Amino acid sequence: MAARGHVQDPNDRRLRPIYDYLDNGNNKMAIQQADKLLKKHKDLHCAKVLKAIGLQRTGKQDEAFTLAQEVATLEPTDDNSLQALTILYREMHRPELVTKLYEAAVKKVPLSEEYHSHLFMAYARVGEYKKMQQAGMALYKIVPKNPYYFWSVMSLVMQAISARDEKLAQTMFLPLAERMVEKMVKEEKIEAEAEVQLYFMILERLGKCEEALDVIRGPLGEKLTSELQSRENKCMMLYQRLQRWPECNALAHKLLLKNPDDWQFYPSYFESLFHLIDQSWSPPEEGEHCSEGAVHHTVAEVVRFVEERIKGEDSKESRSLRGPYLARLELMHRLRERGCPEESLLGEPLELMVQFFGKFGDKPCCITDLKIYLHLLCPEQHVQFINRLSEAVPLGEQGEEGFAFPEDTKALQRHLCVCQLSRALGLHHSLDVDGKLQLITELKAHYRHGLKFGKNSLKTELQFSDMYCLMAAHVYIDLWTEAGDENMVWQCLGILQEGLSHSPSNAQFKLLLLLLYCHLGAFEPVVDLYSSLDAKHVQHDTIGFLLTRYAESLGQFAAASQSCNFSLRFFHSNQKDTSEYIIQAYKYGAFEKIPEFIALRNRLNQSLHFAQVRTERMLLDLFLEADIVLSLEESVKAMSLSAEDDDIPWDNMRDNRDLTVFTSWDPKERYGLTDEHRHQSLEEESLWLRIRSLTLRLLAVLAGLGHAPSQQNSETTNENGIGDKTSVLSSLLSQLNQTLQAAAQMAEKRVQYPFLGPPSTRMGPALSSGSCQCQAAALQLSVHLQELDTVGLDESSELQTQICNSFKSLVVQLQEILNKCKGDLLEMKESKLKTHPSLLENLIFFVETISVVLWMASYCAKILRPLKTSLQKKKKKKKDANTALVQLRLSDTNLTGSLQDLLTQALEHIKGQETGMTALKLASLTLEGHTEVSVQLLSLLFHHIHQKNYQSYTAVGAPQRMNR
């Protein structure tokens, strides 16, 4: 443990064995050793804390907390105890207790630099910026060092950033921070670059760009040395904010003269030009144009400047730089956007791109460079452009297959670039079926030929020809999505698996395989594929949706739970990790990074994926365990789930999904992902999340109602909180019905996303299956039952009839959902295999819905039981009331019997599917005309769907719940 290296206490020798046991994960021995030591030395506080750490790590949190508080109340000041308690509180996720610990220590040892700095960092972990400011100044008074002073200044800046009132930040916090820094400037005490950076940050946030510019260009700016061109970058930004376009243009021009390949200054150079043109700016007749030097204020000057840079590159014997050539295309793009006739000064875009390809076609970046400027070409020029590029590709003689292949990796890269540009221009998409099949044959041949160049590559390296394989897979997908020929997807899986065998580290192969398997309904291989991607940190947020979207809908509840846990572990650690990043930034003076860390934390806390996995994880826990391991009430209580509180930040929801994670060459205007797709996908995901969140909260209310005593037996409704729960239930049901209406309207739009774009949510299938409507009806029934409990049986004949009819309606709706599950998941037609994963998804909706109905039925039984007892105790029994009760009980009994029949039907259907798939699997192995790879893939799919088919039903425990 970290504390051990700092131990300067005579008891170090006694404590060392406990530290060793904890370091090695032997927590039980650590506890035993601590107990032995405490028998001899009862006042050895550190031993108690170390024992508490052992208890915490063995799952005995309450005992650990009690023991820790015993030591904390004594307000220890020894370093061992303080650091051990700090570690314990961090593991308990109680950083606020560390602040109290060091507050007490500082009071007892007021001149300790170490304890004051620990107190400051403890405040930083919990975001107590006001107290951080005070702690920083107290530390500076004890030890007058610049870092401590600027800790306090930065804490003021953080108060401004976190202030809800922007006026308060601009009128109090930031001006005070500015005065504090100016005091140090006047006293000439500024020592480090970090202090200048902080001063610049304050002036920038105050909008004092002129003052900030003076600081950067003055003596303080000379301290900005850690980043290359740091002063120039800051000056450029300030010129743009001040709209001082002559200075911006001149500075960009000057920097590009030094380094023509520095792309970041070209956009500023062009942008300032157009602002100068719009303002009709002209240089003064005498003297310099501006403080930064000469200004290029006409298009002709800028064109001449760019052409001179290109001529300079052409005359060099060494490798040319891409910057000037790309700048020429970028300038043409901007001139065309503005409709400037000077575009013709640059030449024909086709010729410029051919020239660029001639220079850089053997670089993998050539495709990404040219792709964004393809719109400069007329549609009539597309074929001509590809033919011109093909002429510049050196190919060998034609082989037996009728194709000419590249003879080295540079020629291969050029040919590959031409193929990718062809697809980006839509030439692949315009081919007919035979043309596409011929194209696939050619791409496969080039892929396999190119493997010889990577024979000696490491497993972690990609093959030079991998992109041919990926392109062939994309053409297969085109044939599948356009013609519906599922044989194409089998061929696609085959080529991707072949590619993965040669390039085990190719993430694009894995991602596309993952997506295809999910579309076919075979989820089990997806888990291994996703694990092999080895997603790190924020990737759990950006690509985690690829796993969580399909896991539960395909019946893989264990995998769904696991994938949610992966993501949740990252999101929960984000709070702790971000605090540590902030502390390190304070320690090393990286003040400008602190707001970035705060922004990252907020972005992750407001993540759509975070809200989704948290909600789905709790629903999964209920479906898997409630009324099997624990009752519904106990399950809700264990989750600390509150129906009243909605902690999802609906107004600030952030869609952090990386929807461009798949490599794609599809033309954006026809097949690509658009901003409209992104917006509609977010809207659809938010609606589905709201449905799931409201369902979860309604189940929490139902659990509370089921746990509460009957209102007939309580003197006042609100004494037991039942009245409040009923109002919450009615409010949530109203919100759910409104959300379902909005969802139905959204579903009617039938938004079609690109295959490699955002996946559609489960909302559409859930609505079409009737699952959402049935769950809402079941939850609505709980309101009627609550009303019945309130008014009693004597005056509720209409209500009882309504409840009986609701029972019948639920059974009808469940039967309809089950009917939509029926059909063959796998069928063979004319020697072609067809999959129907939507049937499996409907089965999952049926299981979830029947679970909700069973919980409602359980609640119904709890309501009717005391009502029956109450009637039997009455001396004068009313015949009609008794009759009503009998009818209600019979209706409840009929519901139970109907649910049992439905469960039996579902189980028989699943067993029939298993039998049919087993027979189909055996038949597939005897099919002629399948390649070995195809047979293996068929067998794999059968195995994964067959293995999990029955589990997808029984895992959620519907039969067990029925038995209860």
Side-chain angles (χ1 to χ4, degrees):
M1 290 174 59
R4 195 176 74 192
H6 301 284
V7 174
Q8 301 295 331
D9 193 274
N11 290 314
D12 180 27
R13 180 178 54 81
R14 300 189 182 100
L15 293 170
R16 184 172 289 115
I18 308 176
Y19 284 122
D20 289 337
Y21 284 129
L22 290 172
D23 284 342
N24 296 326
N26 198 341
N27 299 310
K28 290 184 178 179
M29 285 302 297
I31 295 169
Q32 291 177 16
Q33 190 68 29
D35 284 332
K36 289 179 184 177
L37 190 56
L38 287 169
K39 286 180 181 178
K40 297 178 181 178
H41 305 275
K42 294 182 180 179
D43 297 328
L44 192 53
H45 304 317
C46 186
K48 275 189 179 182
V49 182
L50 295 177
K51 178 184 176 181
I53 292 174
L55 291 169
Q56 168 71 16
R57 293 177 181 176
T58 52
K60 299 177 180 178
Q61 288 88 351
D62 293 338
E63 292 180 46
F65 183 72
T66 303
L67 203 57
Q69 290 306 95
E70 288 178 15
V71 179
T73 52
L74 299 174
E75 299 183 351
T77 56
D78 63 291
D79 192 48
N80 289 342
S81 299
L82 289 171
Q83 291 210 26
L85 280 168
T86 300
I87 291 168
L88 176 62
Y89 288 147
R90 277 191 212 166
E91 292 185 7
M92 289 181 168
H93 305 290
R94 298 289 301 274
E96 70 280 359
L97 297 177
V98 180
T99 61
K100 296 177 181 178
L101 206 60
Y102 279 102
E103 282 171 356
V106 163
K107 286 179 183 177
K108 288 189 176 182
V109 191
L111 298 179
S112 170
E113 178 184 2
E114 184 181 1
Y115 290 172
H116 274 281
S117 63
H118 279 307
L119 177 61
F120 180 88
M121 296 307 175
Y123 286 140
R125 283 193 180 91
V126 295
E128 292 277 2
Y129 302 124
K130 176 69 175 174
K131 291 182 178 179
M132 286 167 66
Q133 177 200 347
Q134 296 167 348
M137 286 309 297
L139 189 53
Y140 181 72
K141 289 175 182 176
I142 297 168
V143 187
K145 295 179 182 178
N146 269 24
Y148 298 150
Y149 184 86
F150 283 92
W151 284 5
S152 183
V153 175
M154 185 63 208
S155 301
L156 270 170
V157 175
M158 291 310 300
Q159 288 182 69
I161 292 172
S162 60
R164 293 183 178 178
D165 187 356
E166 181 64 23
K167 186 178 179 182
L168 189 65
Q170 293 292 325
T171 57
M172 187 173 83
F173 295 128
L174 290 174
L176 178 56
E178 182 188 12
R179 288 196 296 273
M180 289 178 71
V181 180
E182 284 176 346
K183 176 177 178 292
M184 298 293 278
V185 173
K186 289 175 182 176
E187 295 175 2
E188 298 184 351
K189 290 184 178 179
I190 299 291
E191 298 173 352
E193 178 183 0
E195 296 159 12
V196 181
Q197 292 274 21
L198 181 54
Y199 190 21
F200 176 81
M201 188 195 305
I202 293 166
L203 293 172
E204 185 187 5
R205 287 184 176 275
L206 281 168
K208 295 186 175 182
C209 296
E210 292 285 0
E211 291 85 344
L213 198 56
D214 293 339
V215 170
I216 298 302
R217 299 199 308 196
L220 288 177
E222 295 175 3
K223 295 183 182 293
L224 301 173
T225 57
S226 65
E227 294 181 17
L228 189 65
Q229 297 177 327
S230 177
R231 295 178 75 182
E232 290 84 352
N233 286 331
K234 284 181 167 54
C235 284
M236 186 75 74
M237 180 190 69
L238 291 170
Y239 285 143
Q240 289 174 338
R241 289 186 64 176
L242 290 166
Q243 297 187 1
R244 289 170 59 171
W245 303 115
E247 286 85 351
C248 181
N249 182 279
L251 179 57
H253 168 229
K254 188 163 57 177
L255 292 168
L256 288 170
L257 281 172
K258 289 181 182 179
N259 183 4
D261 201 42
D262 198 336
W263 180 258
Q264 63 176 325
F265 297 119
Y266 280 110
S268 301
Y269 182 48
F270 297 147
E271 185 182 357
S272 60
L273 163 69
F274 296 126
H275 279 290
L276 291 171
I277 292 172
D278 292 340
Q279 294 172 3
S280 302
W281 185 90
S282 59
E285 294 180 1
E286 296 181 0
E288 290 189 347
H289 291 183
C290 68
S291 59
E292 293 289 353
V295 178
H296 291 169
H297 65 289
T298 65
V299 173
E301 286 178 304
V302 172
V303 170
R304 185 167 58 252
F305 174 77
V306 173
E307 293 290 354
E308 286 173 357
R309 305 285 74 72
I310 291 173
K311 286 178 182 177
E313 292 302 313
D314 289 340
S315 63
K316 284 169 39 177
E317 294 182 2
S318 59
R319 183 89 184 193
S320 298
L321 301 174
R322 291 158 48 228
Y325 296 91
L326 283 173
R328 182 166 58 182
L329 290 169
E330 177 66 19
L331 180 57
M332 177 175 281
H333 160 67
R334 293 184 180 230
L335 288 170
R336 183 172 291 188
E337 272 192 330
R338 290 173 60 88
C340 296
E342 293 92 340
E343 177 194 339
S344 59
L345 295 173
L346 292 163
E348 279 294 321
L350 186 146
E351 296 299 331
L352 299 183
M353 291 190 201
V354 170
Q355 183 187 1
F356 186 90
F357 180 80
K359 290 276 186 182
F360 310 106
D362 56 351
K363 287 188 172 185
C365 60
C366 184
I367 174 63
T368 53
D369 288 343
L370 288 180
K371 188 179 175 184
I372 55 178
Y373 298 113
L374 290 177
H375 66 279
L376 296 175
L377 297 172
C378 301
E380 297 78 19
Q381 293 179 311
H382 290 176
V383 175
Q384 181 190 357
F385 174 61
I386 295 301
N387 290 338
R388 289 283 304 277
L389 296 186
S390 299
E391 292 170 4
V393 179
L395 297 175
E397 295 181 1
Q398 284 191 358
E400 295 179 1
E401 297 179 355
F403 303 117
F405 298 112
E407 295 181 344
D408 57 36
T409 55
K410 288 188 176 181
L412 182 148
Q413 191 58 56
R414 284 183 179 275
H415 184 264
L416 187 55
C417 184
V418 174
C419 293
Q420 292 175 92
L421 287 170
S422 298
R423 185 162 181 83
L425 288 168
L427 300 183
H428 289 183
H429 302 80
S430 61
L431 296 172
D432 58 15
V433 173
D434 291 337
K436 287 178 179 176
L437 290 173
Q438 177 63 25
L439 174 63
I440 289 171
T441 303
E442 183 179 351
L443 291 171
K444 282 182 178 181
H446 276 277
Y447 167 65
R448 288 164 182 155
H449 173 267
L451 291 175
K452 71 178 184 179
F453 299 119
K455 283 182 179 178
N456 299 322
S457 299
L458 299 174
K459 286 187 176 181
T460 52
E461 295 176 336
L462 304 185
Q463 292 288 335
F464 290 100
S465 59
D466 274 357
M467 283 301 178
Y468 288 120
C469 180
L470 191 63
M471 242 185 302
H474 281 211
V475 181
Y476 272 130
I477 290 171
D478 291 344
L479 290 167
W480 178 38
T481 54
E482 292 168 10
D485 185 358
E486 203 157 296
N487 183 48
M488 293 296 103
V489 78
W490 290 106
Q491 298 294 334
C492 182
L493 287 171
I495 189 65
L496 286 171
Q497 290 285 9
E498 181 184 345
L500 196 59
S501 67
H502 295 293
S503 290
S505 298
N506 193 309
Q508 286 300 319
F509 290 166
K510 295 174 184 178
L511 287 167
L512 196 51
L513 278 168
L514 182 153
L515 186 63
L516 291 171
Y517 277 127
C518 287
H519 275 277
L520 290 172
F523 186 81
E524 194 168 329
V526 170
V527 178
D528 292 334
L529 284 167
Y530 186 83
S531 298
S532 67
L533 286 169
D534 198 20
K536 301 290 187 186
H537 201 257
V538 76
Q539 288 177 322
H540 288 297
D541 186 25
T542 57
I543 65 172
F545 71 95
L546 294 172
L547 194 63
T548 55
R549 160 62 183 90
Y550 297 101
E552 185 180 355
S553 63
L554 295 177
Q556 297 277 346
F557 296 104
S561 181
Q562 187 181 16
S563 60
C564 287
N565 284 339
F566 281 150
S567 295
L568 287 174
R569 200 175 297 122
F570 158 68
F571 285 115
H572 290 152
S573 66
N574 166 52
Q575 290 288 342
K576 183 178 71 173
D577 292 345
T578 307
S579 298
E580 296 305 316
Y581 302 153
I582 292 169
I583 287 170
Q584 294 302 314
Y586 271 108
K587 283 183 179 179
Y588 295 105
F591 297 122
E592 74 279 4
K593 296 297 178 186
I594 295 173
E596 294 179 20
F597 291 140
I598 299 295
L600 173 64
R601 180 167 66 189
N602 293 338
R603 176 185 171 186
L604 293 175
N605 286 341
Q606 296 165 1
S607 166
L608 167 70
H609 185 59
F610 181 28
Q612 286 175 326
V613 294
R614 190 174 45 181
T615 303
E616 291 297 337
R617 181 70 178 86
M618 287 190 280
L619 280 170
L620 269 171
D621 283 347
L622 291 181
F623 289 132
L624 288 169
E625 297 180 2
D627 282 341
I628 300 171
V629 179
L630 299 170
S631 67
L632 178 63
E633 296 84 359
E634 291 170 329
S635 297
V636 169
K637 186 178 179 181
M639 293 178 188
S640 302
L641 180 59
S642 172
E644 293 82 1
D645 300 328
D646 186 3
D647 57 355
I648 297 176
W650 297 107
D651 296 332
N652 301 310
M653 188 80 75
R654 296 287 299 270
D655 186 2
N656 298 331
R657 294 175 298 166
D658 183 2
L659 300 179
T660 58
V661 66
F662 292 97
T663 296
S664 174
W665 303 275
D666 295 333
K668 187 173 181 179
E669 62 276 8
R670 290 175 61 191
Y671 306 97
L673 180 68
T674 64
D675 291 336
E676 182 66 19
H677 286 141
R678 292 176 184 274
H679 174 73
Q680 290 176 330
S681 175
L682 177 58
E683 184 182 353
E684 191 177 339
E685 293 285 355
S686 299
L687 276 172
W688 177 241
L689 173 61
R690 197 179 287 273
I691 291 170
R692 300 294 275 179
S693 174
L694 288 168
T695 303
L696 178 64
R697 292 167 65 195
L698 281 162
L699 290 175
V701 177
L702 186 63
L705 290 173
H707 187 63
S710 170
Q711 293 188 42
Q712 294 287 312
N713 300 328
S714 61
E715 294 182 5
T716 61
T717 300
N718 287 324
E719 276 184 20
N720 296 304
I722 299 172
D724 293 338
K725 288 186 176 68
T726 305
S727 63
V728 170
L729 179 64
S730 300
S731 172
L732 292 177
L733 278 168
S734 174
Q735 292 178 50
L736 179 60
N737 289 326
Q738 291 173 7
T739 306
L740 288 176
Q741 289 176 6
Q745 293 172 0
M746 181 73 185
E748 286 175 2
K749 296 179 182 178
R750 300 187 181 277
V751 180
Q752 294 293 323
Y753 300 110
F755 184 81
L756 299 178
S760 57
T761 67
R762 298 175 66 199
M763 184 177 74
L767 291 171
S768 62
S769 70
S771 170
C772 291
Q773 299 87 328
C774 186
Q775 289 182 31
L779 293 165
Q780 182 67 50
L781 185 55
S782 61
V783 175
H784 300 325
L785 290 168
Q786 195 62 40
E787 291 174 7
L788 180 66
D789 190 24
T790 304
V791 301
L793 289 170
D794 297 345
E795 302 176 2
S796 60
S797 57
E798 291 183 7
L799 184 59
Q800 291 169 47
T801 303
Q802 189 175 359
I803 291 171
C804 293
N805 291 335
S806 296
F807 285 161
K808 295 175 184 176
S809 175
L810 285 176
V811 173
V812 172
Q813 290 180 66
L814 283 169
Q815 184 66 61
E816 289 176 356
I817 298 172
L818 183 57
N819 290 340
K820 291 174 183 176
C821 304
K822 293 179 179 178
D824 292 327
L825 287 171
L826 296 168
E827 61 175 340
M828 189 75 73
K829 285 186 176 180
E830 299 176 356
S831 299
K832 290 185 179 180
L833 184 69
K834 184 74 174 173
T835 60
H836 300 285
S838 60
L839 297 176
L840 185 57
E841 188 168 20
N842 286 341
L843 182 61
I844 304 308
F845 287 133
F846 171 77
V847 173
E848 289 185 0
T849 306
I850 203 168
S851 295
V852 173
V853 173
L854 287 168
W855 282 320
M856 183 281 305
S858 175
Y859 172 62
C860 176
K862 291 177 182 177
I863 291 291
L864 293 180
R865 198 175 298 118
L867 287 176
K868 178 184 177 182
T869 305
S870 176
L871 271 181
Q872 288 174 344
K873 287 182 178 179
K874 288 184 178 180
K875 293 181 180 178
K876 295 181 179 179
K877 297 179 183 178
K878 294 184 179 180
K879 185 177 179 181
D880 56 342
N882 249 335
T883 304
L885 179 63
V886 170
Q887 291 176 349
L888 203 56
R889 295 285 291 181
L890 283 172
S891 184
D892 183 37
T893 304
N894 291 336
L895 173 66
T896 305
S898 299
L899 292 177
Q900 287 176 334
D901 290 342
L902 285 166
L903 291 172
T904 303
Q905 288 181 48
L907 288 169
E908 287 176 354
H909 166 65
I910 292 172
K911 290 174 182 177
Q913 287 291 312
E914 288 180 325
T915 304
M917 281 192 289
T918 302
L920 198 56
K921 178 181 177 181
L922 293 172
S924 71
L925 297 177
T926 63
L927 286 176
E928 296 182 1
H930 282 83
T931 64
E932 183 180 352
V933 173
S934 297
V935 172
Q936 288 174 354
L937 288 168
L938 281 166
S939 185
L940 183 69
L941 185 67
F942 284 129
H943 169 71
H944 294 309
I945 296 182
H946 177 276
Q947 185 180 19
K948 292 299 175 182
N949 195 16
Y950 184 77
Q951 293 177 16
S952 69
Y953 182 70
T954 58
V956 280
Q960 295 96 318
R961 196 171 286 119
M962 186 73 241
N963 291 337
R964 285 180 63 91

